[in-house]
Structure formats: C-alpha cells, structure tokens
Amino acid sequence: MVATAVTSAFFPVTSSPDSSDSKNKKLGSIKSKPSVSSGSLQVKANAQAPPKINGTVAVTTSVEGSKNDDGASSPPPRTFINQLPDWSMLLAAITTIFLAAEKQWMMLDWKPRRPDMVIDPFGIGKIVQDGLVFSQNFSIRSYEIGADQTASIETLMNHLQETAINHCRSAGLLGEGFGATPEMCKKNLIWVVTRMQVVVDRYPTWGDVVQVDTWVSASGKNGMRRDWLVSNSETGEILTRATSVWVMMNKLTRRLSKIPEEVRGEIEPFFMNSDPVLAEDSQKLVKLDDSTAEHVCKGLTPKWSDLDVNQHVNNVKYIGWILESAPLPILESHELSAMTLEYRRECGRDSVLQSLTTVSDSNTENAVNVGEFNCQHLLRLEDGAEIVRGRTRWRPKHAESSANMDQISAERA
Amino acid sequence: MLKFSYCNATDLNQALVQCRFAGSFGPLSSRRRSPRAAVSCSRSNLTPIQAVLSCQQQVGSDPVESELGSLADRLRLGGLTEDGLSYKEKFIIRCYEVGINKTATIETIANLLQEVGGNHAQSVGFSRDGFATSPTMRKLHLIWVTARMHIEVYKYPAWSDVIEIETWCQNEGRIGTRRDWILKDVATGEVIGRATSKWVMMNEDTRRLQKVSDDVKEEYLVFCPREPRLAFPEENNKSLKKISKLEDPVQYSRLGLMPRRADLDMNQHVNNVTYIGWVLESMPEEIIDTHELQTITLDYRRECQRDDVVDSLTGPELVEGSKIHGTNGSATAITREDDLDCHQFLHLLRLSSDGQEINRGRTEWRKKPT
C-alpha cells in the first residue's frame, strides 16, 4: 500500500465491492448510515474555512444555495459534532435527502457551472451548491503538454491530486501535512491509496480550461472512495472520470487500521451517497514476471523532483515509470484511454525500480474495439518487491477528433 | 558558435524546433486564433498596444473574440501592463509543485517562467504554434534558441501562495535578445526571485545563428522597453559570470540519465527544465538536505535528443582566497561572500557516448531557513 502524503482522503475504500453500490441506489439510503444519529452535517458542509491566500484569510464569495447557519466568513476549521442543536436534525435529514436526490440527478446531466468560474480567480476551487462536491478549474499550461501535444496523463492526475487536497482543506479536514485529518494526526493515521481507475474520453490541449469536480463516499466499513469528474469548462463535455479507493494506515506501525469513531465523525458528513463515477474494473490484475513480460525497463530511479514532502515518491510519478516500458509504437500511435492501478508498496529516493509491460492478447480480455490494445504492467524493486500493478487500455490517437485534423491541416497549409 | 543538431524531418509537424523565445509550443489547432498568417507586421512606428491589435487582426482572430478573450484568457490572471511593454501574470502554487522542502521546486519556478514568457508572446499576437515567432521571423525561417538561463530565488513560495511574475524582453547585441523576469509574492509584495535569459536567432533550415536586419528585430522590439530595463541592473552581477568547464576528475556524478517520455515537450524535444533536474541529480545529498538553491546559471551548448544518454557531473567551484565573485578581478561583494554556509558548484552535462558538452552550469546554495 502506498502511503501518499499528498493526496489525502477522499477516496472511499471498497472492501466489499458490491455493498456500496446497492446501498447508494436508494435515495433513502441515508437512513442506513450510522452517522445520521450524530447529526448529519451535510447541510453544514458549505461553511468551510475560507481559503487562505499566502497565509492571510481571504473573504469567500458566496456560494449558490449555501445553507450554513454561520456567517460567510468563518473561523478556521472546527469539529462538526458540537455544532448543531438537536432540533435541526430533522431539517438536516430532510435537506440531506433533497441534496442526495439532486446529486443523483446531477450525475446524469452534468452541466457546466459557468457563473462560478469567474468568481474563482486563483483557481482555488469551491464547494458547490450541494455542499459535498468540490469544484476547481485548471487552465492547461504549456509545460503540461506532453509529446502527444495534449495534456499528459500525469498532468491530469496532478489536477486530481490538487483538487483532492483542496477539497480537504476547504472542508476543514486537513491536519498537518497533506495526508490526514486533525483526528487522524492525533492517532498517527494516514490515508493510503490502494486502487485508482481512470478513463479518459478526451485529453485537453494547451489553453483549454478544465473543471474538476470531486467528492467522497464510503467504501465498505473502513474505507473511502474518492471520485472525480473532469469536464471542459466551456463546453461541459466530460473529458475524464476517475475513482480511487483509500484505506487508513498507522504511519508508525504501517498496519492498516479501522476508521476510529472520532475520524468517522469528521469525515462522514462529507460522504455522498452516489454511484461510483466509474463502474469498477473487477478484473484481476495479473502479476508479471521476467518470463511473461515483453518489455522491461530497468534502473529507474527517483529524481529529487519526484519526491513529496515525506521523501516518498509521489503517486503520479509511478504512472510515468509504468509508461517507460510501454512499447514505443503504441505510445506514438495510440493514447491511453483507461488505466487501473493497484498500489502495493511505496518507494523512496534510494529505490531502484523496474518497469515491466506486456501487451495483452486481446482475445483473453474484454472485447476491445478495433485498433485498441490492452497492456499489463508491473513496477517493482530490483529484489522483486511489487510497487504497483496495473492495466492500461490504448486507443488510436485522434480517433474522435477527425474533424480537428482537417482543421489542423488546413491551418498549416 | 552554438551548434544544435535536430532531426531533419521536413514535415512541418516534425520540423518544429523547440522555440526558446518563451518556451516550447507545438502545432496545436487553436480554436481561438489561427496561428499562421503569412503577413508581415512591420509597424515600427506604432505603439505596442496598436501593434498588438493590428497583429492580431492580421493573424485573423475573430474581433469579437479578441475583445472578450477566450475563457482561458479571462481565467489566466495575466495581461500586458498598461504601457504594453511588459506582461504580468499571477500563479497559485499547486500541491504537486511542492518538493521535499514543502516549497515550490526550482523546476516549478522554471516552468512558470517559461509559461509566462509564452503567454507574453501570445498576448502580443505571436504565434501559438510552437515558435512564438513573429510573422516575419516565420517568413525568414528564423526561430529562437536559448543560450543562457539564470535564475535567482530569494524565498521559495509554499503551497497555495500566489506569486506574480512580470516579464519583458529587450535587444542584446546583434543577434541576441534578453528576456527578464521578476517574481513577487502577491501577499507581501516582496521580490522573491529574479531571472534573465539570453536568446539568439537561428535559421531553422541551416541551423546557423543568423544576424537579422533591424526591421525584423523591430517587429518584436516594439513590444519591448526601449530604455534598458534589467532584472539584474547591478554591475558584475552573477548572471554575467562566465562558467568554467568542469574538468575530470570530478567529485560527484550521476551517470546514464535518460530523457523520460514525460520530459519531452510538445515538439518532442527535451524540455529546457529537464536539464535543471539533471544538473541537480549529481549534487551531493548532504547539500540537498541542508541547503536550498539560491542561484542557478545554465549555458546551453547542445540539445539533447530523446535517445541520448547523459552524464551529470558536479564539482565545487574553486575560489581564490576569500574573494569569491571576482570575475574580472574586482572585489565587488554582492551577497553572502563571507557567509560560510553558502556553497558554490560547477556543473557539466555531457553525452555519455562521446563526452560532447550539452550544458554547463553553476549553482549557489544557501542554508535552509529554519
């Protein structure tokens, strides 16, 4: 399991993959949540600590439909437990049901929230009107464009990571560092990501503005799932969907931990009851070895810039290494359309890694479209210890943008 | 004479050499402005703002759109200053741009400098197709290449800090142009860094440096301040310091560095900023753990191709007596000369295969603030 310092929380862990799905389908599923008795605070989730710019507190602009009892400029993070008087539980329950219903509806018909964007000058993002979804815009910068002339998958993953952290922070759930809530810090607990699934429908290009929405849900009893939806700010077109699963680990003993009640109290108010944004890829990820791997890249070492504040390799860097051993013809003619990763172990500055790739036989996998490839991946240390296991799917480049190609060739003429 | 060996593909897509005027840009289809119009913008007698507008019209942008700006432009928080002679943009430091020191890495800073330079070029109507060249430069097949980059950081910004970068360019010599940057912390207004870079014009077909006539230069110089404006106005400043070549045997090295796919820019060339990472790879860990980079100077000699293997070499810069910064023998003391916690190193990046020099560099390190 990788302890990520940077992407903290927000990914529910699905220890039992089918349980959360059936629960989430019902609108009345809130009743089955254990936390409702402690005063579900979804209604309060809007009253976040105002984002700080350079250490000073900036006045937040009002968010649509905010339902907080406090004033707009709120003091720094506070616990939620002791905030609601009992009489408002009924109101909270009614509101929560309404919000969940609205969220379900919104999942089906995602519209761009254009008026919000100009209120967010520094791209800090905000909790949007239903109180549970954090939304942030990113303008694709020139150096985020990769050799394919689109934003790289690393750029997209970085944006996901950034919104996760900012969601935590604006919800008042950021303890010291990037990895834990205040209660978790007290107990030496950190979030670790175990699984990540990304589907890219279209890569943004230089100058595009993407809107990243993210939210968390429960995953089994002791985990969290974080979902993201990335869309083109201007057109509303959905570009990328991602989901990830997180568990809690004691950072001293490195053992997995149940979610303590105090932490549950902190985070459960923020759980959405919604279907995962991506259907879970339940296929078992195969472990490659030297005999089954077609392409091997050895001697991969982290650079200084690959390390996070704890001197562990940032999650996103693994993806770059995985792609190092992907066959170049595929990299050049195809683009990554889907990726599933299982994180097993973390690595640090002195690690020397190997990246193994096999192009799967398409007959044994799910049916793929013409021209698509599946690949299996493994990142491991030289002694064989597994770091990440993965699967990727590749589709021919420019498959969807044939209209753009005409425009490009016309412009170059 | 700077020599660069690029691939010789004639296909327009492949022939886009990494443009160094402000960064590298590829042949992207721009929905906002059509990138190429073979019309010359010779307007040496116009003010910069007028020149921008007519250049944009020539390039064929939709007039309504240029008034409102695209969504990206509006969100970009940057724009030309009132006199049109420089460009400012604000950036917020993102969590993944922060390194082991919990502050922005030097690569992040360098990326932002590159970004703001490119946005400056684009805001005055230069092409977005990877060259940031003026229309006349394109007609003459001229492109920009970086010769030297010098960055000084006095205070590294932390996550979610907002910084403002101002940039401008100026003429330098017959073939050179200088682009300068000043970085400020928006909250405090203090200058947290400065940078300067030197660019030369090269003919992309002959691969030779080329002197250009004054009216070609005027086309872009109209956007530059006429009075000399230097990010490093002080005399004998470190941006001018000659960098000696590190000779064998070297004290520290990291061999066999290869460009990753993520190091390639839109034009499939190794991004300028990657070289900074490589230079730092051979720094001794005891310095990295206890010090932070104050100054880095890189002389670009030869470009690295994606299949090249590079060796990174580092050695302490030997000084004579206690006068550390006497390039021409003068005893001008600028900063931290007698501060024993300041270390200086020389660097060399060369090809593993034949030892050809790619970059040479110089860094200064100060003790980390507690």
Side-chain angles (χ1 to χ4, degrees):
Chain A
M1 316 278 193
V2 174
T4 97
V6 182
T7 24
S8 58
F10 306 149
F11 289 108
V13 173
T14 25
S15 47
S16 47
D18 44 351
S19 60
S20 45
D21 287 354
S22 51
K23 265 198 276 188
N24 291 340
K25 281 188 169 58
K26 296 190 286 191
L27 291 181
S29 60
I30 296 152
K31 296 191 183 91
S32 60
K33 280 178 54 171
S35 68
V36 76
S37 56
S38 64
S40 65
L41 294 159
Q42 279 127 340
V43 104
K44 294 285 281 179
N46 253 342
Q48 73 270 27
K52 293 181 189 232
I53 303 176
N54 293 0
T56 62
V57 176
V59 177
T60 47
T61 53
S62 60
V63 177
E64 292 169 47
S66 71
K67 292 184 166 63
N68 38 348
D69 301 326
D70 305 338
S73 51
S74 323
R78 54 212 168 283
T79 61
F80 290 94
I81 306 260
N82 50 5
Q83 284 232 331
L84 278 186
D86 289 333
W87 59 262
S88 68
M89 261 180 56
L90 182 61
L91 175 65
I94 295 170
T95 311
T96 308
I97 293 171
F98 168 76
L99 292 173
E102 190 182 36
K103 188 66 208 168
Q104 293 275 358
W105 176 81
M106 288 178 86
M107 286 291 301
L108 302 172
D109 184 14
W110 207 269
K111 291 187 171 60
R113 300 186 183 88
R114 200 179 288 260
D116 287 350
M117 291 185 296
V118 292
I119 307 176
D120 178 19
F122 292 119
I124 297 167
K126 63 179 64 59
I127 304 236
V128 294
Q129 64 185 47
D130 52 6
L132 296 175
V133 174
F134 183 84
S135 185
Q136 184 171 356
N137 291 312
F138 294 90
S139 172
I140 305 294
R141 299 178 181 162
S142 62
Y143 60 86
E144 294 176 324
I145 302 294
D148 307 315
Q149 286 144 33
T150 58
S152 57
I153 184 72
E154 290 96 334
T155 297
L156 297 186
M157 301 290 295
N158 278 333
H159 292 167
L160 303 188
Q161 189 164 281
E162 174 78 0
T163 48
I165 295 269
N166 286 336
H167 184 188
C168 274
R169 188 176 56 154
S170 61
L173 288 180
L174 209 58
E176 52 172 74
F178 288 148
T181 67
E183 282 297 326
M184 285 168 70
C185 285
K186 290 185 201 166
K187 297 180 193 302
N188 288 317
L189 296 171
I190 50 175
W191 287 112
V192 287
V193 61
T194 55
R195 193 178 167 84
M196 183 82 181
Q197 226 181 299
V198 181
V199 170
V200 183
D201 298 323
R202 184 196 290 275
Y203 285 88
T205 55
W206 182 33
D208 282 351
V209 177
V210 300
Q211 179 176 316
V212 182
D213 294 310
T214 184
W215 61 94
V216 288
S217 313
S219 180
K221 280 188 71 70
N222 283 302
M224 210 161 59
R225 186 185 88 229
R226 176 176 280 284
D227 290 338
W228 292 272
L229 198 68
V230 181
S231 51
N232 182 316
S233 280
E234 251 175 310
T235 66
E237 177 195 0
I238 291 181
L239 304 174
T240 298
R241 286 162 291 151
T243 182
S244 58
V245 167
W246 298 72
V247 295
M248 210 169 273
M249 184 172 89
N250 185 305
K251 71 176 171 188
L252 302 173
T253 67
R254 313 311 279 185
R255 294 177 75 84
L256 296 185
S257 158
K258 293 197 166 128
I259 301 182
E261 278 311 304
E262 297 89 342
V263 179
R264 229 178 250 289
E266 278 178 320
I267 60 177
E268 276 190 346
F270 290 94
F271 284 173
M272 287 250 304
N273 287 312
S274 67
D275 289 331
V277 72
L278 275 181
E280 189 184 319
D281 177 10
S282 51
Q283 267 185 333
K284 198 158 144 40
L285 291 183
V286 168
K287 179 174 177 178
L288 295 177
D289 57 35
D290 289 298
S291 57
T292 53
E294 293 166 359
H295 310 269
V296 180
C297 207
K298 297 197 177 180
L300 300 169
T301 51
K303 299 196 291 197
W304 285 118
S305 54
D306 296 335
L307 304 179
D308 62 23
V309 295
N310 294 333
Q311 300 229 7
H312 294 136
V313 174
N314 186 317
N315 273 346
V316 175
K317 305 296 177 179
Y318 293 131
I319 297 166
W321 280 329
I322 283 172
L323 298 182
E324 282 298 304
S325 66
L328 196 57
I330 292 186
L331 287 175
E332 289 186 333
S333 57
H334 286 61
E335 63 183 15
L336 186 65
S337 59
M339 175 171 69
T340 302
L341 298 175
E342 275 174 18
Y343 294 90
R344 303 283 172 127
R345 210 178 256 102
E346 62 201 349
C347 68
R349 164 79 176 154
D350 299 322
S351 306
V352 183
L353 293 98
Q354 301 175 339
S355 172
L356 291 76
T357 295
T358 293
V359 182
S360 305
D361 178 5
S362 49
N363 289 335
T364 63
E365 300 293 330
N366 292 335
V368 295
N369 300 329
V370 173
E372 288 193 356
F373 288 96
N374 277 336
C375 292
Q376 313 260 31
H377 303 274
L378 180 69
L379 254 190
R380 66 179 187 200
L381 298 177
E382 282 179 325
D383 62 10
E386 264 189 80
I387 307 285
V388 180
R389 225 186 252 199
R391 172 172 49 243
T392 52
R393 188 182 316 149
W394 302 77
R395 63 166 172 253
K397 273 186 200 171
H398 309 302
E400 298 158 84
S401 40
S402 44
N404 284 349
M405 286 305 291
D406 296 336
Q407 190 187 3
I408 292 172
S409 29
E411 281 172 353
R412 287 213 207 98
Chain B
M1 183 71 162
L2 296 170
K3 286 190 210 158
F4 300 85
S5 53
Y6 298 91
C7 48
N8 280 328
T10 51
D11 176 26
L12 199 58
N13 191 17
Q14 296 298 321
L16 293 176
V17 181
Q18 186 177 27
C19 165
R20 322 296 193 108
F21 185 34
S24 326
F25 311 100
L28 302 173
S29 70
S30 165
R31 291 192 290 275
R32 294 161 198 93
R33 300 191 177 94
S34 60
R36 289 186 162 250
V39 183
S40 66
C41 287
S42 54
R43 50 201 77 259
S44 44
N45 49 353
L46 287 184
T47 64
I49 300 292
Q50 288 173 316
V52 170
L53 290 175
S54 24
C55 220
Q56 283 179 350
Q57 277 156 15
Q58 296 243 355
V59 172
S61 55
D62 173 24
V64 173
E65 203 183 45
S66 6
E67 260 181 52
L68 299 177
S70 64
L71 180 62
D73 295 334
R74 276 185 285 136
L75 280 174
R76 188 170 283 131
L77 308 167
L80 291 171
T81 51
E82 267 182 25
D83 57 10
L85 297 175
S86 65
Y87 178 89
K88 281 184 185 176
E89 187 167 347
K90 292 191 171 94
F91 296 94
I92 188 167
I93 304 297
R94 299 174 180 166
C95 69
Y96 57 87
E97 295 173 330
V98 157
I100 57 175
N101 295 333
K102 301 184 183 175
T103 53
T105 59
I106 186 70
E107 284 98 338
T108 297
I109 306 264
N111 275 329
L112 293 178
L113 297 182
Q114 189 161 296
E115 171 77 5
V116 78
N119 292 339
H120 180 195
Q122 184 222 323
S123 70
V124 300
F126 288 1
S127 66
R128 283 177 59 111
D129 62 354
F131 295 125
T133 48
S134 62
T136 303
M137 282 177 71
R138 281 197 295 282
K139 243 181 26 168
L140 300 176
H141 292 223
L142 296 172
I143 54 171
W144 294 109
V145 285
T146 330
R148 171 177 271 225
M149 184 78 176
H150 175 87
I151 307 174
E152 290 182 17
V153 182
Y154 310 117
K155 182 169 180 293
Y156 282 87
W159 171 46
S160 81
D161 280 355
V162 179
I163 62 172
E164 181 183 72
I165 305 182
E166 183 183 1
T167 184
W168 65 93
C169 53
Q170 287 197 300
N171 194 21
E172 184 147 306
R174 284 212 58 98
I175 58 169
T177 293
R178 188 185 73 250
R179 177 177 279 286
D180 285 347
W181 295 267
I182 293 196
L183 296 87
K184 280 191 191 165
D185 183 328
V186 167
T188 64
E190 59 176 86
V191 171
I192 57 168
R194 298 183 288 173
T196 181
S197 58
K198 179 153 174 210
W199 304 78
V200 292
M201 235 184 261
M202 183 172 91
N203 186 305
E204 63 174 328
D205 303 323
T206 68
R207 298 294 189 232
R208 299 182 82 81
L209 299 185
Q210 188 160 320
K211 295 180 187 176
V212 289
S213 61
D214 286 339
D215 50 315
V216 172
K217 291 188 120 185
E218 268 310 307
E219 195 178 11
Y220 66 86
L221 285 180
V222 68
F223 304 110
C224 308
R226 292 300 168 151
E227 296 302 311
R229 183 188 173 194
L230 296 152
F232 295 90
E234 62 269 24
E235 284 192 14
N236 299 324
N237 64 76
K238 291 169 222 169
S239 70
L240 305 171
K241 192 172 154 75
K242 193 159 139 56
I243 303 177
S244 319
K245 183 170 178 182
L246 201 56
E247 297 290 350
D248 286 312
V250 291
Q251 200 162 340
Y252 309 104
S253 63
R254 185 108 174 192
L255 308 179
L257 297 168
M258 292 192 59
R260 304 174 187 173
R261 189 162 176 84
D263 296 329
L264 301 178
D265 61 23
M266 294 184 222
N267 299 321
Q268 313 244 346
H269 290 99
V270 175
N271 190 319
N272 268 350
V273 174
T274 305
Y275 297 121
I276 296 179
W278 283 344
V279 159
L280 299 182
E281 275 301 294
S282 57
M283 278 294 300
E285 187 157 347
E286 53 268 21
I287 300 288
I288 300 259
D289 285 342
T290 53
H291 289 65
E292 61 181 16
L293 184 62
Q294 169 161 290
T295 301
I296 178 165
T297 315
L298 284 181
D299 277 344
Y300 293 85
R301 301 288 172 122
R302 185 191 176 282
E303 198 182 39
C304 176
Q305 303 298 321
R306 54 198 275 190
D307 299 326
D308 286 336
V309 181
V310 171
D311 294 337
S312 169
L313 311 169
T314 293
E317 184 179 40
L318 300 169
V319 298
E320 292 167 13
S322 59
K323 290 201 174 71
I324 299 180
H325 296 291
T327 30
N328 47 6
S330 80
T332 315
I334 301 172
T335 52
R336 310 188 80 109
E337 253 77 348
D338 41 352
D339 182 352
L340 295 173
D341 282 337
C342 197
H343 295 262
Q344 288 133 104
F345 293 89
L346 288 179
H347 304 273
L348 185 67
L349 285 182
R350 65 181 184 204
L351 289 183
S352 291
S353 51
D354 55 8
Q356 276 194 67
E357 194 183 330
I358 295 182
N359 266 354
R360 66 170 77 161
R362 189 180 170 275
T363 53
E364 284 184 17
W365 300 75
R366 62 169 178 260
K367 212 145 173 73
K368 279 186 200 177
T370 43

